[in-house]
C-alpha cells in the first residue's frame, strides 16, 4: 500500500470512531473491496478502492479483495485478472486475502437451509413476471405468493431438489419470508436463490443453483469477519435486508458487519455505467476496455494517467453522503499536477511546416543543450540542422499586430537555440505554403554575444534530418457536453473523441523510451507512448492538454 495515501477524516471514519468507542469490533477494523467480475473497473471503482483500502490503513486494519462471483452468466476470468491488475496499479495490496463468494457456496447453502428450518424462507413456483406483479409498487402493497405457506419439510425437500438439478431454469426460486406489505420493496420476500444450469468459472458444474447478490454479499462479509461493509448509495435501500439476514442467522450485533453507504462518483462528459461501457466495447464504438477514451482504470493507465493522480483525485473529491456531479476538469488538474513534476520535456511538431535556414552550413549538425525539466540538473542534447520543422500555426503570412510568432520579416527565438528571421515564403502552384526561408543569428544561442536580445516569441521545433516520425492520437471527451441521461447515450457520443495525426515530427531523444513513458510536449500537452508502438512505428497518446481550467476556477 502506498505510504503517501492521504487519510482525511470523513463521515465513514466518524461512524467507525463511534463504533470503537462503544466497544464494538475489538479485534480491529476489517474492510473489503467486493467487485463483480463482469466487466473492467472504472474510475468510480477507483474511489471505492481508495476508500476501502485507505480506511483499513487509517485504522491499522485489513482489507480483503473479494470477487462476488454469484452470476456465472456474465462473469469471466478475464475480468478477474484485470481487476487484480487495476488494484495493484493503484498501489494497494490484499496480501493473502483474495477471496471469492464461490468459496462460500457450501456455507451459503447451509445458511439458506437454516432460514428454511426457522420458517424464514420458502420455495416459490411463481415465474419472474408473476413475482414482479405480486411484489406491488411504491404506492401499493404486495400480495403473498400462493406458495408462501408451504411447510418446512416441503421447502427443504424442494430446495434439495433444486440443488440436485431436478428442475429447469426459472421454474422455482427460494425467497426470504419477510413482509409483503413493507414500504421498502426490497423487503417484500426477495429472491435469495435461483436455478441456473450453467458452468461456473471456478466451481465448474458442481452447482445448478446460485445465491443472489443481496444474499451472498452480507453473509460473505460475515464469514470473512468484515466490520464495515462500505458501498455506494444505491445499496441504501438494501441495508434492511443486509441486517435482516445477519440477525436472522444469529450473528452477534457487536461483531457482525455494518453497511455504510457513500455517494457514487459521477463525472461530467463521462460514461459511468458498466452496462453502457460494455455496450461501447461490444458495439465496437471503442477499441476495447482499455481504449484511452474509456473511463476504465485500464483505459486511464493506457492513456498515461498515473496512479498517484487518480488517488489524489479520489481524495480531493472527498466522501459524501449524497450524489453529485464532479467536473472532469478536476481529474485533469490532478494528472497535470503530477506529471508537471515527473514528465520530461521534449519538442514535437504535430503539423509540420518546413523551415530552411539559408545561412546555416548545409552539412552541419550541432547539438544544443536542453533541460529535461525546469529547475532540474537533468539535460539532453537536441540536434540542430539547416532544415527544421515548426508548427503550421506558428507562421502567418498576413499576421495581425499582436501575432508574436513567425511572419514575413519577423523574428522568433527557437527554444534552446537561435533567433531566426523570416526572409521568404515558398509556395506551390496552388498557392499553398510549402516551406519558409529564414536566416539565423549565430551569436544568439545560450552563451553567445546576442543571447540576451529580447524576442517576444519562442517556438518549439525539431531537426528535419534528425527527427523521428510518430503517430499521435488526440483524445477528447467520449460524451458531448449536452449528454442527456434520458436519451440514448450512443447518440450523444462525441464524433471527434479521437483525432489521429500520422506525420508528427519529434526529437530523437524518445527513440528508445519504453511503452508508458510520459512526456510534456512543449506548448502541446502531456503525452504517453502507447502499447501499439513498434520498432519503426512510434505511437503517442495525448494524456491531457496544458490548459488547466480547474486550477483557475479553484483560485477564484
Amino acid at each position: 500500500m502506498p505510504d503517501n495515501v492521504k487519510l482525511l477524516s470523513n463521515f465513514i471514519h466518524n461512524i467507525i470512531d463511534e463504533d470503537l468507542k462503544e466497544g464494538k469490533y475489538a479485534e480491529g477494523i476489517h474492510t473489503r473491496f467486493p467487485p463483480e467480475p463482469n466487466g473492467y473497473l472504472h474510475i468510480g471503482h477507483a474511489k471505492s478502492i481508495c476508500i476501502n483500502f485507505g480506511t483499513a490503513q487509517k485504522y491499522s486494519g485489513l482489507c480483503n479483495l473479494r470477487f462476488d462471483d454469484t452470476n456465472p452468466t456474465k462473469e469471466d476470468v478475464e475480468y478477474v485478472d484485470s481487476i487484480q491488475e487495476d488494484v495493484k496499479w493503484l498501489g494497494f495490496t490484499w496480501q493473502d486475502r483474495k477471496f471469492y463468494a464461490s468459496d462460500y457456496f457450501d456455507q451459503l447453502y447451509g445458511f439458506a437451509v437454516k432460514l428454511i428450518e426457522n420458517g424464514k424462507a420458502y420455495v416459490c413456483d411463481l415465474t419472474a413476471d408473476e413475482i414482479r406483479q405480486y411484489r406491488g409498487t411504491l404506492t401499493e402493497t404486495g400480495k403473498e405468493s400462493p406458495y408462501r405457506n408451504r411447510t418446512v419439510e416441503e421447502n427443504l425437500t424442494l430446495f434439495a431438489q433444486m440443488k440436485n438439478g431436478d428442475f429447469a431454469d426459472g421454474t422455482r426460486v427460494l425467497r426470504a419470508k419477510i413482509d409483503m406489505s413493507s414500504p421498502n420493496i426490497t423487503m417484500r420476500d426477495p429472491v435469495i436463490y435461483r436455478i441456473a444450469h450453467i458452468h461456473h468459472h471456478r466451481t465448474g458444474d458442481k452447482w445448478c443453483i446460485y445465491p443472489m447478490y443481496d444474499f451472498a454479499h452480507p453473509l460473505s462479509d460475515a464469514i470473512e469477519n468484515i466490520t464495515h461493509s462500505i458501498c455506494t448509495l444505491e445499496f441504501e435501500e438494501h441495508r434492511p435486508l443486509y441486517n435482516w439476514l445477519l440477525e436472522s442467522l444469529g450473528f452477534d450485533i457487536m461483531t457482525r458487519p455494518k453497511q455504510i453507504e457513500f455517494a457514487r462518483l459521477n463525472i461530467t462528459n463521462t460514461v459511468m455505467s458498466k452496462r453502457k461501457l460494455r455496450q461501447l466495447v461490444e458495439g465496437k464504438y471503442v477499441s476495447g476496455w482499455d481504449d484511452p477514451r474509456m473511463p476504465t482504470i485500464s483505459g486511464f493507465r493506457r492513456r498515461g494517467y498515473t496512479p498517484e493522480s487518480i488517488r489524489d483525485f479520489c481524495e480531493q473529491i472527498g466522501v459524501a453522503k449524497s450524489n453529485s456531479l464532479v467536473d472532469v476538469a478536476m481529474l485533469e488538474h490532478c494528472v497535470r499536477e503530477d506529471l508537471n513534476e515527473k514528465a520530461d520535456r521534449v519538442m514535437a511538431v504535430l503539423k509540420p511546416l518546413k523551415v530552411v535556414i539559408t545561412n546555416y552550413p548545409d552539412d552541419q549538425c550541432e547539438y544544443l543543450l536542453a533541460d529535461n525539466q525546469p529547475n532540474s540538473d537533468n539535460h539532453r542534447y537536441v540536434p540542430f540542422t539547416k532544415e527544421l520543422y515548426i508548427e503550421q500555426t506558428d507562421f502567418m503570412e498576413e499576421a495581425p499586430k499582436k501575432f508574436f510568432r513567425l511572419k514575413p520579416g519577423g523574428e522568433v527565438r527557437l527554444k534552446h537555440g537561435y533567433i531566426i528571421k523570416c526572409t521568404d515564403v515558398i509556395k506551390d502552384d496552388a498557392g499553398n505554403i510549402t516551406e519558409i526561408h529564414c536566416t539565423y543569428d549565430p551569436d544568439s544561442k545560450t552563451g553567445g554575444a546576442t543571447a540576451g536580445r529580447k524576442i517576444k516569441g519562442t517556438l518549439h521545433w525539431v531537426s528535419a534530418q534528425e527527427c523521428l516520425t510518430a503517430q499521435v492520437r488526440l483524445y477528447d471527451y467520449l460524451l458531448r457536453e449536452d449528454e442527456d441521461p434520458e436519451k440514448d447515450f450512443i447518440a450523444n457520443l462525441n464524433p471527434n473523441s479521437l483525432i489521429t495525426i500520422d506525420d508528427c515530427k519529434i526529437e530523437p531523444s524518445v527513440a528508445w523510451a519504453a511503452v508508458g513513458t510520459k512526456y510534456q510536449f512543449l506548448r502541446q500537452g502531456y503525452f504517453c507512448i502507447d502499447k501499439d508502438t513498434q520498432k519503426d512505428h512510434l505511437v503517442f497518446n495525448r494524456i491531457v492538454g496544458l490548459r488547466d481550467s480547474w486550477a483557475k476556477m479553484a483560485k477564484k
Side-chain angles (χ1 to χ4, degrees), residues 216-477:
H217 184 77
L219 298 176
S220 298
D221 283 347
I223 291 168
E224 294 177 13
N225 296 314
I226 300 303
T227 60
H228 295 85
S229 180
I230 305 169
C231 56
T232 47
L233 203 58
E234 63 263 32
F235 291 99
E236 183 176 27
E237 66 180 26
H238 298 250
R239 191 191 333 142
L241 176 57
Y242 187 102
N243 293 334
W244 182 89
L245 284 166
L246 296 176
E247 182 178 349
S248 297
L249 289 165
F251 288 96
D252 187 346
I253 194 170
M254 295 299 287
T255 57
R256 74 190 188 205
K258 173 183 286 189
Q259 179 174 304
I260 306 173
E261 307 87 17
F262 65 92
R264 64 174 295 167
L265 176 59
N266 295 295
I267 305 177
T268 57
N269 304 99
T270 307
V271 181
M272 297 294 286
S273 160
K274 191 184 290 186
R275 176 185 60 81
K276 290 181 178 180
L277 294 177
R278 183 191 293 272
Q279 187 176 344
L280 290 173
V281 173
E282 294 178 349
K284 299 190 183 304
Y285 296 99
V286 293
S287 62
W289 286 99
D290 69 343
D291 187 300
R293 292 168 291 178
M294 291 279 277
T296 54
I297 296 175
S298 58
F300 280 111
R301 180 166 62 247
R302 179 177 176 183
R303 184 157 172 172
Y305 275 67
T306 61
E308 294 82 1
S309 66
I310 299 293
R311 295 199 304 265
D312 183 42
F313 171 70
C314 291
E315 181 60 37
Q316 288 201 33
I317 59 178
V319 183
K321 294 183 180 181
S322 58
N323 290 324
S324 60
L325 189 64
V326 178
D327 195 327
V328 68
M330 185 176 181
L331 176 59
E332 294 171 343
H333 166 74
C334 290
V335 73
R336 283 191 193 94
E337 287 287 292
D338 192 46
L339 291 178
N340 184 52
E341 302 297 324
K342 297 176 178 177
D344 284 347
R345 275 56 169 169
V346 297
M347 294 188 288
V349 177
L350 303 189
K351 295 184 178 180
L353 173 63
K354 181 174 283 190
V355 172
V356 178
I357 303 177
T358 55
N359 63 333
Y360 194 84
D362 291 346
D363 299 326
Q364 182 169 314
C365 177
E366 62 179 305
Y367 287 85
L368 306 178
L369 188 66
D371 55 298
N372 285 338
Q373 294 183 23
N375 306 316
S376 169
D377 293 331
N378 295 322
H379 298 90
R380 69 190 188 284
Y381 289 92
V382 182
F384 185 91
T385 55
K386 183 182 184 72
E387 295 184 355
L388 311 172
Y389 288 119
I390 65 170
E391 291 288 347
Q392 293 177 12
T393 53
D394 280 340
F395 176 80
M396 188 174 289
E397 190 172 16
E398 297 181 5
K401 184 177 180 180
K402 293 188 177 181
F403 183 79
F404 298 122
R405 287 166 279 172
L406 196 58
K407 55 189 175 183
E411 288 184 309
V412 294
R413 179 177 292 281
L414 299 177
K415 182 69 173 177
H416 308 302
Y418 299 98
I419 295 172
I420 62 172
K421 180 177 183 179
C422 177
T423 58
D424 201 5
V425 179
I426 309 302
K427 301 180 180 181
D428 60 19
D429 294 339
N432 300 310
I433 298 174
T434 58
E435 60 185 53
I436 306 299
H437 286 186
C438 297
T439 57
Y440 85 114
D441 177 355
D443 295 323
S444 59
K445 74 173 181 178
T446 302
T450 57
R453 189 154 63 92
K454 293 187 180 295
I455 299 294
K456 288 187 175 180
T458 299
L459 307 184
H460 64 278
W461 54 275
V462 295
S463 162
Q465 286 83 2
E466 302 295 327
C467 70
L468 304 174
T469 298
Q471 181 186 87
V472 171
R473 298 168 182 175
L474 305 178
Y475 293 102
D476 200 353
Y477 305 135

Side-chain angles (χ1 to χ4, degrees), residues 176-197:
K177 193 174 185 178
I178 308 179
D179 182 4
M180 290 303 295
S181 63
S182 172
N184 184 340
I185 294 179
T186 301
M187 299 296 283
R188 296 179 187 176
D189 290 10
V191 174
I192 57 177
Y193 261 92
R194 79 286 201 189
I195 302 171
H197 291 81

Side-chain angles (χ1 to χ4, degrees), residues 118-170:
N118 293 338
K120 295 183 177 182
Y122 64 96
V123 174
C124 182
D125 298 1
L126 294 178
T127 66
D129 286 339
E130 288 171 335
I131 289 174
R132 279 191 289 270
Q133 292 169 9
Y134 274 61
R135 185 177 292 131
T137 65
L138 292 173
T139 57
E140 296 180 358
T141 60
K143 295 189 303 179
E144 292 187 356
S145 165
Y147 308 100
R148 195 174 195 266
N149 295 316
R150 279 173 163 156
T151 66
V152 169
E153 291 73 18
E154 186 179 5
N155 282 317
L156 287 172
T157 299
L158 288 171
F159 191 48
Q161 290 177 308
M162 287 172 59
K163 174 181 177 292
N164 294 333
D166 294 345
F167 304 125
D169 293 1

Side-chain angles (χ1 to χ4, degrees), residues 6-69:
K6 300 175 184 176
L7 298 170
L8 300 180
S9 292
N10 54 57
F11 80 92
I12 294 175
H13 298 160
N14 294 339
I15 292 172
I16 295 174
D17 291 340
E18 287 299 315
D19 288 337
L20 294 175
K21 286 180 183 178
E22 294 174 5
K24 294 181 179 180
Y25 313 119
E27 296 299 317
I29 300 304
H30 201 152
T31 62
R32 83 290 170 269
F33 174 61
E36 297 175 73
N38 59 3
Y40 280 58
L41 300 183
H42 57 62
I43 186 70
H45 297 108
K47 177 181 177 181
S48 181
I49 291 169
C50 291
I51 290 173
N52 278 287
F53 281 92
T55 296
Q57 184 186 49
K58 176 180 174 67
Y59 291 93
S60 300
L62 302 173
C63 183
N64 296 355
L65 173 63
R66 182 177 72 238
F67 294 96
D68 275 320
D69 54 343

